[in-house]
Each structure stands twice: as C-alpha cells, then as structure tokens.
Amino acid sequence: MKNDILKDTTLIFDLDGTLVDTAPDLIATLNHVLSSIDCAAAPETHIRPFISFGARRMIVEGLALGGVSLSDPETDALFDAFLDHYASNIAVASAPYPNLHSALDSATEGGARLGVCTNKREDLSLRLLRELKLHDRFRTVVGRDTLDVCKPHPRHLTEAIARAGGDVARSIMIGDSPTDVKTARAAGIPVVAVSFGYSEVPSAELGADVVIDDYSQLMDVLPRVLNK
C-alpha cells in the first residue's frame, strides 16, 4: 500500500470487542456482583455476545441464567455495584487485540487521524485506554455520555470525526457489532467489521463493506474501502 493512501483520512474505532478484548474483566465483574446475591456465575460463552449491549444487559442475562428475579431498584443497585467494581478492575486481564499496535502505527504513519466512538461511558473509556497505554494514539474519545446521543445515532459518529479533525467524506468506521454498522450506514461512511468481537450476529452477516479476522489485514483492505 502506498504510504500516502490514508492522508487526510479519519479512522474511528469502536472500543470493546474492536480495539480491546475487555470480556475477561467485564465477565469477572459480572460474576463478582452476581455472587453478592448468591446467583450462580455466568459462563463467558453465554455472556460474551451480550457485551456490546452494555453492562445492564449482561446483568439481566446473568440473572436469567441463574434463575434469579430482581425488582428494577434491585437491578439498579446491582448495576451501580457493577460499575464501581469494574472501574477499579478495568484492565486486569483486558488487552489490545493482536497486531493492533502495528496497525495503528501504520495508519498514523500514513497520515490518518484516529478516534474512538464507543457506547462505553467516557470516563471508563479513558481509564481503560490510559491503563493500556493506548490513549495517546487517538485524537478524540467520544463515549456514551459525551453527547446527548449515542450509537446508533449517526451524530455520535460524525461528532467523533469532527473532534478528530476529520471529514465525513474521508472517514471509515471500524467496529464489531450491528450497532456499529448501523451507525456508519446512517452517517454515510464505509465500515470495516472485525470478526473477533462480541456480536451475536455472525460477522459475515453484519453488512459491513469488509470483514477482517486480524489487524494484520487492516491496512490491506482500507484502500478498497476508501475507493467504494
């Protein structure tokens, strides 16, 4: 790939399941709070597809699996306990996906601007990225509560592009879920899906322009996506 192919291009990444495998710490936190109410631990294989829907959905699924019924206030309390524990254990076992660093290096060297658009809370997103020494890679991090809208609303993505100093006409979304693809389509930009994330829909059925199985493939597919 020519070194200048990404000049003036903005790449906006989802976070959980796209940049970072956060499942180990999220599921450990889930099982920590479930144990506090004597609910059986939820296996990772069951919970993993629900991570992209957020902590509350993980809790609901874990409770259902354990046969425990809670009132809304009790679920709210469990959710608050989840966030407190997770904030203190956000990067115990979470890690960037293989070959991510080299892909980000190549994109930056090629002139691309990088940003994050995630439905994870902004403070938690920043904490995670700092703990993993990824924060300085990105010009902006736009979280669930940064704006008055979040994905799949297209303004969540277009504002992330703007804050990164980019142009919607020269931008690409990289994500792992139907929500990411829907957001990109609504914003009118192409989207690359990763197959290693948390989607309950098979990656080939997400409707992305391209699917990659490893970040070593990213730089090879970007010219094709940009030319669409």
Side-chain angles (χ1 to χ4, degrees), residues 67-130:
V68 175
S69 179
L70 296 183
S71 66
D72 287 343
E74 288 172 328
T75 303
D76 290 341
L78 207 62
F79 177 68
D80 290 340
F82 181 106
L83 293 179
D84 287 343
H85 184 272
Y86 182 61
S88 299
N89 298 273
I90 200 166
V92 175
S94 295
Y97 283 103
N99 298 308
L100 174 68
H101 285 288
S102 58
L104 297 181
D105 284 342
S106 296
T108 301
E109 290 166 5
R113 303 175 179 87
L114 309 181
V116 174
C117 180
T118 173
N119 276 351
K120 198 184 200 75
R121 248 173 40 187
E122 182 182 327
D123 63 323
L124 294 177
S125 300
L126 292 170
R127 180 178 296 190
L128 174 63
L129 292 169
R130 286 179 179 131

Side-chain angles (χ1 to χ4, degrees), residues 17-18 48 97 174-177 192-199 201-204 206 210-215 217:
T18 299
R48 193 178 179 90
Y97 283 103
I174 299 97
D176 72 314
S177 71
V192 174
V194 299
S195 66
F196 42 77
Y198 306 141
S199 175
V201 177
S203 56
L206 289 174
V210 177
V211 177
I212 61 171
D213 301 316
D214 187 277
Y215 271 111
Q217 302 170 338

Side-chain angles (χ1 to χ4, degrees), residues 140-161:
T140 189
V141 177
V142 179
R144 181 182 197 89
D145 54 347
T146 304
L147 310 175
D148 58 352
V149 296
C150 62
K151 296 184 295 186
H153 196 290
R155 187 160 63 83
H156 198 202
L157 176 54
T158 56
E159 180 65 19
I161 294 168

Side-chain angles (χ1 to χ4, degrees), residues 169-186:
R170 287 282 297 175
S171 296
I172 299 171
M173 176 79 189
I174 299 97
D176 72 314
S177 71
T179 298
D180 294 322
V181 174
K182 184 176 180 180
T183 305
R185 294 300 182 219

Side-chain angles (χ1 to χ4, degrees), residues 10 14 18 43 49 57 62-63 77 95 103 112 139 151 163 176 189:
T10 303
D14 173 53
T18 299
R57 176 67 181 273
L63 291 171
R139 294 194 179 197
K151 296 184 295 186
R163 292 187 181 205
D176 72 314
I189 75 167

